[in-house]
Amino acid sequence: MRQWFILIFVSLFLMVQGCEKPADDNFKVIEKARKNFISGFYVDSEKGFERYLQDNPQGKYRFEAWNYLVKIDSEVRHDSERGASLLEAMYLEFGHKNDLAADLKGKLAEMYIRNGQYKLAVEALEKSLEFPDQSSEQLDSTRTLLAKTFRDLRNYDLAIYTYNDLAGSTDDSKIKAKALYEMAQTLTLIQAWERAESELNKLIVMDNVPENIHAKATFLLADIHEQKHEFKEAIELLNRIVDTYPNPQAVQYKLEYLKKLELSGGKEIKEVKDRNIKVKDTGNDENESDDFGGAI
């Protein structure tokens, strides 16, 4: 009987040792993989993180290991397809955690967009919005990307609806202004000139509109007046943004050409427009992102 108890004790002791030693070894594996990543030894780093995931189905560093593997494929190798596959695997493992799921779906959507898989991106973004307890910044960022993705899919009605919903729900004046501007720009794509003009008129008289967005909205409004052959109104608008528009040369060029049109009664429209197409201006300066704060 005593021998039996000793055998049980030894077995338990060996089991504890077997649990503790791999924990130490596994921490060394993850630590070494981190150092290899920082040092630029990405292949060795990748092998380390993969080994950790294989050997530790319940390990506390699994989320970190997955994240590093995604970085290696998407940011180092620029293999967004494999990056998307890894994020899908991450979501299968961590999607039940509300504090992680929304962010994972958002990152997965961004990866789908890189791959040109816009419909999958829309599905991921819409799913992301369903998770509770998200910050207003995160929700704004997701809606911004969703609206842009709808526009990339040429689903202009849903893009307009989403931009309008974003403008009405956000507490951030910059997000609201950018959403209204993007909505107006989308309306011009379907030649809904009157509604685009109405939204832009509201935007340029709003308080706390960032200077660059105000200038771009004014430029777009001038374009609409030009479409209507209202050259005087277009010139008045452009004169207001000579010093604030991100590309001052575009404003000067447009002013000169509109003044000629006004003097000639619009007779030079075709000739000048053909030349103007070659210098089409987006209103963005070289350092400005199209995202909202770095999401619009």
Side-chain angles (χ1 to χ4, degrees), residues 50-73:
E50 287 177 345
R51 176 185 165 191
Y52 178 83
L53 290 173
Q54 291 169 1
D55 294 346
N56 299 273
Q58 303 297 325
K60 66 177 181 178
Y61 299 108
R62 289 183 64 82
F63 189 82
E64 178 187 353
W66 279 117
N67 262 330
Y68 271 109
L69 290 175
V70 171
K71 284 183 179 181
I72 291 169
D73 278 315

Side-chain angles (χ1 to χ4, degrees), residues 66-191:
W66 279 117
N67 262 330
Y68 271 109
L69 290 175
V70 171
K71 284 183 179 181
I72 291 169
D73 278 315
S74 63
E75 298 177 16
V76 178
R77 295 196 179 108
H78 302 288
D79 186 347
S80 53
E81 289 188 9
R82 180 167 163 78
S85 297
L86 290 171
L87 279 168
E88 287 167 352
M90 282 184 74
Y91 183 77
L92 287 175
E93 181 170 342
F94 297 100
H96 65 286
K97 298 183 177 181
N98 286 339
D99 58 329
L100 299 176
D103 186 55
L104 283 173
K105 276 294 184 183
K107 289 179 178 178
L108 185 55
E110 291 174 0
M111 206 71 72
Y112 285 144
I113 290 170
R114 290 190 202 177
N115 298 336
Q117 298 171 297
Y118 297 113
K119 290 183 179 179
L120 288 176
V122 165
E123 292 175 7
L125 290 167
E126 289 180 331
K127 180 64 178 178
S128 176
L129 290 170
E130 295 176 5
F131 294 102
D133 303 323
Q134 297 184 58
S135 67
S136 57
E137 292 81 4
Q138 189 170 7
L139 291 171
D140 286 348
S141 177
T142 301
R143 289 195 181 98
T144 297
L145 188 56
L146 179 60
K148 185 178 184 301
T149 306
F150 277 136
R151 192 164 67 185
D152 290 337
L153 279 168
R154 298 186 179 181
N155 193 332
Y156 300 126
D157 287 343
L158 281 177
I160 292 164
Y161 173 84
T162 307
Y163 279 129
N164 189 53
D165 179 61
L166 173 60
S169 63
T170 184
D171 295 324
D172 187 316
S173 59
K174 181 178 179 181
I175 298 294
K176 179 182 179 70
K178 189 67 184 288
L180 289 172
Y181 170 73
E182 295 294 346
M183 180 173 69
Q185 196 169 52
T186 308
L187 285 163
T188 66
L189 296 176
I190 58 174
Q191 299 184 345

